[in-house]
Amino acid sequence: MQHRDTETDRCCRMLLGDVFPNFEADSTFGQMKLHDFLGDSWGVLFSHPGDFTPVCTIELGRAAQLSPEFSKRNVKLMALSVDSLQEHHDWSKDIMAYNNTEPGSQFPFPIIADDRRELVEKLGMLDPEEKDRNGMPLSARCVFVIGPDKKLKLSILYPATTGRNFDEILRVIDSLQLTAHNRVATPVDWRPGNSVMVPPRIPETEAATLFPAGIYTKDLPSGKK
Ligand code: BEZ
C-alpha cells in the first residue's frame, strides 16, 4: 500500500493486491468490521456523494434491485457516504419507495455512516470539485472490489456528477471470478459465455494442451499472432 500521510494530505491509496484495511464502522446493519463482515465472500464497497440526492437515490435503487445478482456471485455489497446513520436509515426508505418495493421490507445491504470522514479520507474517496454547504468535499463515486482473500481486486473512481453502471460492475466481477480460477483473460466487452483469451505469458504449445477444444489465432504483421 502506498502511504502519503502528511498534515495536509492524509490519504492512503489502495493498490491492486493490497490487503484492504480491516476498518470498523457504524452502518445501517449495526457496527461492522470489514473482514468479519466479508467472511469468505467477495465484497463491493462503493461510496456516494450524499443521501437524498437524485443520482445517488437511483444508483442505490439499482444496486438494491441487483442485490440478488451480487448474492448469486457470493458478493456482499456495502455503500458509504459522509452522512449520518439516521440519514441513511431515513433515506433507505426513500430508495425502497422509489423502487416501488413492498413497504416494510429491509434495504438489502448496509450503508456505512462515515460522518467523521475517516474512511473517505483514508481511502481517497473524495471529489474535490463537489462540495457540501460547508465547503467540504463530498465523497466521489468510488468502487472497490475486494476478494475473499481481503485483497483489492479492482477499483474504479467516478466523479460525483457521473452515475455508475452496475451492470458493468457485475460484468467485471464475472471476469474477476473467472480469471481467479482459470488461466484465461477476458477481452473487450466480454460477457459470460463469450470466448476468452489465452494470456500472452502462456506459450502456444502449453495453451494447446490447456485448451484441447482448440484455440483461434490470427497471423499479424509483427509475426506475434
Ligand atoms: C446526485 O446524487 O444527484 C449528485 C450528487 C452530487 C453532485 C451531483 C449530483
Side-chain angles (χ1 to χ4, degrees), residues 63-114:
Q65 282 169 345
L66 287 174
S67 75
E69 288 297 320
F70 285 96
S71 302
K72 250 198 255 172
R73 292 161 173 81
N74 192 29
V75 179
K76 291 184 175 172
L77 293 171
M78 296 155 276
L80 177 153
S81 79
V82 294
D83 300 283
S84 70
L85 200 53
Q86 189 57 53
E87 286 168 312
H88 286 342
H89 279 298
D90 294 343
W91 180 47
S92 55
K93 290 182 198 134
D94 278 10
I95 303 169
M96 299 292 265
Y98 179 81
N99 275 1
N100 296 317
T101 312
E102 261 187 47
S105 29
Q106 204 200 2
F107 193 73
F109 53 84
I111 311 179
I112 293 170
D114 189 31

Side-chain angles (χ1 to χ4, degrees), residues 49-50 52-57 130 138-139 141 160-162:
F52 305 102
T53 56
V55 177
C56 298
T57 302
E130 294 294 325
L138 295 172
S139 21
R141 299 185 196 276
T161 42
T162 301

Side-chain angles (χ1 to χ4, degrees), residues 15-17 41-45 70 73-76 143-149 151-156 166-187 190-192 196 201:
L15 299 178
L16 294 184
S41 301
W42 289 68
V44 174
L45 172 67
F70 285 96
R73 292 161 173 81
N74 192 29
V75 179
K76 291 184 175 172
V143 182
F144 289 123
V145 180
I146 305 161
D149 56 3
K151 290 184 179 168
L152 180 68
K153 304 298 179 188
L154 176 135
S155 67
I156 324 177
F166 278 82
D167 292 313
E168 168 63 2
I169 296 170
L170 282 171
R171 192 192 74 84
V172 295
I173 287 170
D174 285 332
S175 170
L176 290 170
Q177 294 186 338
L178 180 77
T179 57
H181 299 292
N182 300 276
R183 293 175 72 195
V184 296
T186 62
W190 174 86
R191 296 230 154 244
V196 294
R201 65 175 182 276

Side-chain angles (χ1 to χ4, degrees), residues 47-51 53 56 81-83 117 120 124-141 157-161:
S47 58
H48 60 275
D51 295 358
T53 56
C56 298
S81 79
V82 294
D83 300 283
R117 297 175 165 263
V120 288
M125 297 164 118
L126 287 168
D127 183 342
E129 299 293 326
E130 294 294 325
K131 308 241 168 73
D132 67 13
R133 282 195 202 97
N134 303 316
M136 297 294 283
L138 295 172
S139 21
R141 299 185 196 276
L157 184 57
Y158 296 69
T161 42

